[in-house]
Every structure is written in C-alpha cells, then in structure tokens.
Amino acid sequence: MSRRTVLRDHHGERYSFQLRLLVAITAVLIGFGILLGRFVFLQVIQYDKYHTLAESNRISLVPIPPSRGIVTDRNGVVLAHNFSAYTLEVTPSKLPGKLNDTIDALAGLIEITAKDRRRFRKLLEESKDFESLPIKTRLSDEEVARFAVNAFRFPGVEIKARLFRHYPMGESASHLVGYIGRINDRDLKKLEEDERLAEYRGTDHMGKFGLEQSYEEVLHGKTGYEEVETDAGGRAIRSLRRSPPVAGSNLVLTVDIKLQQLVEQAFGDRKGALVAIEPSTGGVLAMVSRPGFDPNLFVDGIDPVSWRELNDAATRPLNNRAIQGLYPPGSTFKPFMALAALETGKRRPHDAIADPGFFILGNHRWRDDKLDGHGMVDMVKSIVVSCNTYYYKLANDMGIDLISGFMGPLGFGSKTGIDLPGEKAGILPSQEWKRKAFKRKEQQRWLAGDTISIGNGQGYNSYTILQLAQATATLVNNGVQYRPHLVGFIEDSASRERRPVEPQPAKQLPYKPAHIEVIKQAMVNVNLAGTSAQAFASAQYTSGGKTGTAQVFSLKGAKYNASTTREELRDHALFVAFAPADKPKIALAMIVENAGFGAQHAAPIARKAFDYYLLGKLPAAEAPAPAQPAPPSPPPSPPQSPIEEFMSRPHVD
C-alpha cells in the first residue's frame, strides 16, 4: 500500500494566524479604548457629578430648625414662648416587631398614659410611617437616663431634644394668639405648592390658628444646615461646616393683656365677645371671646377625647365670637342710623316726632319698649332713651338703599381686614342682597316692612362685634377709619430692632364735624342720664355709649319674660362705648349672649374696662356669676320673617 505525501500550506496558515491575532489585538485595543474612554468620561467629564455623589455618601446634610419668634403684649408680657425639653420618639418603619408591643415595653421604663397613647394614634393616622412621632414629651432627667441605658433594646426609638411652644396665659387671649400644631400631609402639600418646603426641613410644627397662623412666615425663621462627616455605618465622625439657623421674628401686639384678662374675668361663665380699639391707630387693645380654650393642648397633638370635648361642645369654645359670630346689633345701630339721617338730609337734630308707643305701616304695628310712648322725641332724645318708634319711622323714610349705601363704608357687612384668619363678612341687607340670598322668587322681593326692623338693628342685620367696634371707633375718630390690627411691631429676635406695622388710614369718611358732634354728645348723655347711666355713675371721666338688646327667636306675639325663658333663648345684651369723650383713647363693642338687657349686663363690663385703661384701676377678683336657672319650656316654633319676629315685641335696652 503506497503512502501518500501530505503537503501543508504554510503560507495560508500563517496568514490565518496573523489575521486572528490582528482581530484579537484589535478587540483588546477596542476594549481598552472603551475602558479608557469610560474612565475619562467618569473621571474628567462627569467629575463634578460623581464627586458630589461620593461626598453625599460621606457627608450628611442635617437641617437645624430655627427657634420660633415669641409673642408679647404691648407692655412686654410674654404670651407665647419656647422652652427646650426631651421627647421620646418612635419611627414605626424602623421597628423590628409590632408597634403595640414596643409601646408596652417602653411603658415598663417610662410612664406612658392612656392620653399619650390616644395622641400618638391620632398622630400616626395623620403622618407617614417613616416619620418620627412623639410617644412621650417633656421627659425628666431621670426618664432620659433610664431609657439611655436600655436604648439598645429599642431599635427605631430614640430621645430627641426639641423646642416646645408654651402659652403661659392658658385660656386668656387664646383666640387671638392661636396655637401651633404638627405639620400634616395637607400642610406639606401646601408648602410644596408655595415652594417653601425647604424652609421647613427638620421642622415638625407650624401655626394652625390665630396670629400663630397668620404670621407664620414671620415667626418661623430660616432653617440652618450642618455638614456632618459619617463613616460607612452612618455614624457621625465630625462636623465639617455649619450654617446657623435664623430665629423667627417676635410679634409685639397692640393688646393690653391685663385689660384682656380683666374683661375675661368680668364675663365669668357667660358667653360673648368684646373688642376694644384705639381709635387713633386702629390697634386692638383687647379681643375677648368667651368661653376660651387652652392652646397648650394642641402643641404636642391633641388627643381625640379632648378634641371631641372642644369641638362638640354646645358653647363652641373654638369659635372666635369676635370675628366669626354674627349678631343683629340691636339698638347699638341707632347712633349710626341717626348719623345717616343727618348726612343724607332726612333729619335735622331738632326735628321731633310724637311717639305714641308704636309705628303702623299697612296692617302691621311695631311696638316701642314704652307702651304709652316717649312723648315728643328729637334725635338726641331718641338715642338717650332708645326710642324705637323714632327709628321705625326714620328707616321707612330713608328706604333700604339709602341705609345700606351709608352703612357699607362704615364697614358693616364686609371684612375689616384684621390680621387674623377666619373673619366673617356678615350681612348688610339690601335689595340686591335679598335677590341673591333667596332662591324662591316671591322671597327675593324687598318689602317695605323689611326696612322697618333694619332701622332698629334687627331683621336681616347680621354683623361681627369687630365690625361694630370698628364703626364706633370710626365715628368717634371723626370719620377717620383705620384697619383694625393686633400686631404693633415686628421685632428682630437678634438685634431687637422693631419695624412698626404702620396704622395707615384706610379712608377718611366725609362726615360733617357738626353731625358727628351731635351723635357723640347724644351718646355721652346715654352714659350720664340715659339707659347706661347707672353703670357709669360717679365715673372720673366722661364717656359715651349706647346700649342694645337683640332677640334670639320669635315670640309670635307673646310677651317676653326672661325668667320663664330658657337661657339659650334669652335676648343678647350689647353695648358700644368710647372714652374720654373729648379725645377718645378707647372705643369698644361687646355682646353678652342670652344675658338680657344691655344696660344691666354689658355696660358694667365696659365700665370696668374703662376704669382700668384710663385710670389704672384693677377690681378685686370676683367669682364668676352663675348662670341664672330657668324652668324648662318647649322650644318655640321656627321664625317666619324678620318683620313678624320683631314687630310684635317691645325692646328694652
């Protein structure tokens, strides 16, 4: 068998090997090129980005919340301030076991009450699981030490040092100072919409009510930051840089807290409101709403039981009656009606009418408080003796359009613009208002009889006590009207430099000085010899005032008897006043709900306020007057119309 000779193609093999080698070298070079390009891209082109990321892993940016500004009255008395304390906080998302088991275990170390648990559950419902929530606040040093040695047993639980808000006056001035509360989801959404979320990093609370809410941006301050270097485990090693927070500015109010407390004490257990204003500036000297509430309940998060007690109470303690309560002004409306008559030429001061004790229009008869009338009554006498018949006839002669047109510029039926949230506008009746207020066409027509009760401050009239106080201050300030305000100065918390809240006149109402003097003198005579003379007997100053009584429900022709009427259905007592008469330093309006006649129940409170503010007299502590008992009676039928409610009953101021 022959052996074949195999010839190898060495040239081809060499070429193939070289080709494979070239491909391999090219692939290696491309790979290294890619790596080199990536290296250049990461280390050169995107150096700043990745350097920042690396630094963020090494450096933590810790927000430092600012100290909230304090609130003082005009004399420097502190109404809201801060103090530091320790709080025990739980982050639910970091707990290894069940939340309730952790709380039960904590209760073995630190006393956690049922109220603490209820408050915590409420906060949990309003917050995210990853948030740190307080289960116990204001820990003692002993409690802090006790937890510190057992902290290893409670991952997700820690002690934090925080600033707490405190309201040392408690219920006093609670409606105007307000309170702060924990920031909830709705607050966060609003802050994000306003592009202010960064300002609240590290902050758990914000203003929720009163001045705390309306001056939130001023009081809050500016958040600071600290750069902290951390190790791989996230533990702080050292502080690299610190940008200190800027404390919030302080508020210096126009309010005199002693005057505020004196009036609150004078109200006792009775419901009502009082607003006292400095006519020459518009500064509010006192704003009382009774009953009040303790704002300290809200700082740590109010528990559900306390919330229900406040929110569901029949006395509505959370309602600021001074700016949210709407009331008919009763006979306190008469001085403004008289001024309107003078300014519009419908009456002269000496024009008199014969008062038979009633006024008749069509088939309806409106009665006066004095059955046989007051005889001949001119303008001054109509205010001094509070003659209803005079104003029935005056309202009929003026007509609703003339009345509403005059009362609007005084501020009736519109918000004053006071620096508090929640103010209501009230109702200044007019033909246009009635067309919008009622759905049925037959109810939209303004009737001649509707106007009669308007002139006496009843009917559709519905105003706040603040509006009544502002109108009184404008009247005695010769028509110069200021915007009521509670904050007099905004004070820098570091330098103590004060920036005044300028009392710029809102407007000058074009009243004739002689007309204003007639009304003011008539109101002076009210306190000297009229319906409130007894309350101001032997006063060391001359003052002016006007009493008023406003009905709560329709008697449908029956005779009103306070002793046989349930307390919540009795008339409201009102009063407006100013002093001294020659150059008023204070003007006020007030209401005592369901108290009866203004001369008996409202004017004496005003006298105490004037005695303190003008003379520095503080009365001895008085026990609150108990509510007058009354036998039960069935509720009356619902009222039909303001005419029928008012025309058949007399009113004694």
Side-chain angles (χ1 to χ4, degrees):
M1 187 172 181
S2 61
R3 179 179 296 176
R4 294 182 178 179
T5 302
V6 180
L7 298 177
R8 299 180 62 182
D9 187 358
H10 295 284
H11 177 74
E13 289 178 354
R14 186 169 55 251
Y15 176 77
S16 177
F17 172 77
Q18 290 175 344
L19 181 62
R20 288 196 300 270
L21 182 62
L22 180 62
V23 170
I25 292 172
T26 302
V28 170
L29 290 175
I30 291 173
F32 274 104
I34 292 173
L35 291 175
L36 180 62
R38 184 64 177 168
F39 178 81
V40 172
F41 178 76
L42 294 176
Q43 294 295 323
V44 179
I45 298 176
Q46 289 200 320
Y47 172 81
D48 292 337
K49 173 184 175 181
Y50 287 98
H51 179 267
T52 302
L53 290 175
E55 286 297 300
S56 66
N57 290 331
R58 184 178 67 90
I59 300 173
S60 295
L61 201 61
V62 180
I64 307 173
S67 175
R68 194 172 182 85
I70 66 173
V71 181
T72 68
D73 83 334
R74 65 191 296 129
N75 299 312
V77 179
V78 175
L79 308 181
H81 68 107
N82 312 299
F83 69 93
S84 59
Y86 292 106
T87 178
L88 184 65
E89 304 208 1
V90 178
T91 306
S93 61
K94 294 182 179 179
L95 297 181
K98 293 182 178 180
L99 175 61
N100 288 336
D101 292 342
T102 300
I103 295 176
D104 290 339
L106 287 170
L109 289 175
I110 297 172
E111 182 185 8
I112 298 176
T113 65
K115 185 176 181 180
D116 293 329
R117 292 174 184 258
R118 290 194 299 266
R119 185 179 62 244
F120 181 81
R121 292 191 193 99
K122 187 172 185 293
L123 291 174
L124 189 61
E125 292 172 0
E126 299 173 349
S127 307
K128 303 292 186 183
D129 285 345
F130 55 79
E131 289 185 357
S132 175
L133 302 175
I135 182 66
K136 180 74 174 180
T137 59
R138 308 180 193 186
L139 301 177
S140 66
D141 292 341
E142 181 183 347
E143 289 174 324
V144 171
R146 197 182 305 141
F147 176 80
V149 297
N150 290 275
F152 68 93
R153 295 169 45 200
F154 298 98
V157 183
E158 60 183 332
I159 286 180
K160 292 185 178 181
R162 294 190 181 274
L163 286 175
F164 287 87
R165 198 66 161 172
H166 183 240
Y167 304 98
M169 298 299 166
E171 285 193 10
S172 185
S174 55
H175 290 94
L176 64 94
V177 175
Y179 56 80
I180 65 170
R182 287 188 68 88
I183 297 174
N184 55 35
D185 291 342
R186 184 173 54 190
D187 299 325
L188 289 173
K189 184 178 180 181
K190 182 67 167 57
L191 289 171
E192 189 172 7
E193 290 174 355
D194 296 342
E195 298 181 350
R196 296 176 54 218
L197 194 58
E199 300 174 20
Y200 283 80
R201 299 295 184 193
T203 301
D204 296 321
H205 296 78
M206 68 185 304
K208 299 278 189 169
F209 190 83
L211 292 173
E212 290 276 29
Q213 179 182 353
S214 57
Y215 282 87
E216 170 63 24
E217 292 188 32
V218 173
L219 290 165
H220 177 260
K222 185 178 179 181
T223 301
Y225 290 93
E226 184 175 17
E227 291 184 2
V228 178
E229 186 177 4
T230 59
D231 60 15
R235 292 180 291 272
I237 299 175
R238 58 174 174 161
S239 176
L240 300 177
R241 187 167 52 185
R242 191 174 190 272
S243 175
V246 178
S249 296
N250 304 326
L251 300 183
V252 181
L253 306 188
T254 60
V255 172
D256 185 326
I257 192 60
K258 286 187 178 180
L259 174 63
Q260 177 88 13
Q261 291 177 319
L262 181 148
V263 173
E264 290 169 347
Q265 180 186 3
F267 265 89
D269 292 335
R270 295 172 293 184
K271 304 185 297 293
L274 178 146
V275 177
I277 295 177
E278 187 175 48
S280 60
T281 65
V284 175
L285 302 172
M287 178 180 283
V288 173
S289 178
R290 304 300 295 166
F293 63 93
D294 186 358
N296 292 298
L297 292 172
F298 293 86
V299 175
D300 299 334
I302 189 169
D303 69 282
V305 174
S306 298
W307 169 250
R308 282 195 298 270
E309 289 176 354
L310 288 175
N311 197 46
D312 299 340
T315 56
R316 297 173 292 130
L318 294 177
N319 186 49
N320 187 346
R321 285 169 160 82
I323 64 171
Q324 295 174 321
L326 298 177
Y327 309 95
S331 292
T332 61
F333 203 56
K334 290 174 180 176
F336 307 105
M337 282 292 297
L339 181 61
L342 292 173
E343 289 291 320
T344 58
K346 290 295 182 179
R347 292 288 189 277
R348 292 172 296 179
H350 57 272
D351 290 341
I353 67 163
D355 173 22
F358 57 85
F359 175 77
I360 296 177
L361 179 67
N363 297 323
H364 297 294
R365 173 184 292 218
W366 283 264
R367 294 168 55 189
D368 205 324
D369 63 290
K370 192 174 181 182
L371 296 180
D372 55 352
H374 294 89
M376 296 301 295
V377 180
D378 62 8
M379 181 172 286
V380 173
K381 184 178 179 181
S382 74
I383 295 175
V384 175
V385 301
S386 199
C387 176
N388 292 340
T389 306
Y390 184 94
Y391 292 95
Y392 295 149
K393 181 170 175 54
L394 174 59
N396 187 57
D397 291 346
M398 291 185 66
I400 189 58
D401 291 335
L402 204 57
I403 295 173
S404 62
F406 182 85
M407 298 300 172
L410 272 167
F412 290 110
S414 59
K415 296 180 180 180
T416 66
I418 191 170
D419 44 353
L420 276 180
E423 182 186 10
K424 290 188 176 180
I427 297 172
L428 175 60
S430 66
Q431 295 191 64
E432 181 183 1
W433 166 82
K434 196 174 185 185
R435 283 193 296 269
K436 294 178 179 179
F438 293 92
K439 294 182 179 180
R440 293 165 54 186
K441 195 168 184 179
E442 60 270 22
Q443 293 178 316
Q444 295 175 351
R445 186 167 63 92
W446 188 270
L447 305 175
D450 291 340
T451 309
I452 307 304
S453 54
I454 296 299
N456 251 28
Q458 295 282 168
Y460 295 118
N461 282 311
S462 186
Y463 311 119
T464 65
I465 297 303
L466 176 60
Q467 289 172 355
L468 196 56
Q470 182 191 37
T472 304
T474 302
L475 171 64
V476 303
N477 200 39
N478 300 317
V480 179
Q481 186 180 74
Y482 290 91
R483 177 183 65 86
H485 57 279
L486 288 157
V487 177
F489 298 93
I490 295 176
E491 180 185 73
D492 186 276
S493 56
S495 66
R496 301 299 179 184
E497 181 180 349
R498 290 184 173 185
R499 174 167 56 88
V501 177
E502 295 293 341
Q504 295 294 331
K507 51 188 167 183
Q508 168 72 64
L509 301 181
Y511 302 148
K512 292 183 179 179
H515 293 165
I516 291 179
E517 193 58 35
V518 170
I519 306 304
K520 288 170 64 176
Q521 189 56 50
M523 296 177 72
V524 168
N525 291 341
V526 170
N527 282 3
L528 290 176
T531 52
S532 52
Q534 184 176 355
F536 284 87
S538 69
Q540 299 177 33
Y541 49 85
T542 304
S543 62
K546 183 68 192 82
T547 55
T549 303
Q551 70 180 79
V552 175
F553 74 101
S554 173
L555 288 169
K556 295 190 174 297
K559 186 178 180 181
Y560 175 75
N561 188 333
S563 63
T564 59
T565 303
R566 292 209 315 267
E567 182 180 354
E568 66 271 19
L569 300 178
R570 296 175 192 165
D571 291 345
H572 297 322
L574 295 105
F575 191 58
V576 297
F578 62 92
D582 55 343
K583 193 174 182 181
K585 296 180 179 179
I586 180 172
L588 64 79
M590 62 174 298
I591 186 170
V592 184
E593 293 184 12
N594 311 121
F597 304 143
Q600 296 177 0
H601 301 283
I605 297 177
R607 167 68 187 273
K608 291 179 180 179
F610 285 177
D611 281 354
Y612 163 74
Y613 192 72
L614 299 176
L615 307 175
K617 291 184 177 180
L618 282 171
E622 298 175 355
Q628 183 178 351
S633 60
S637 302
Q640 294 181 356
S641 75
I643 307 173
E644 296 176 57
E645 292 178 18
F646 188 77
M647 67 183 183
S648 61
R649 66 179 287 191
H651 289 264
V652 181
D653 297 326

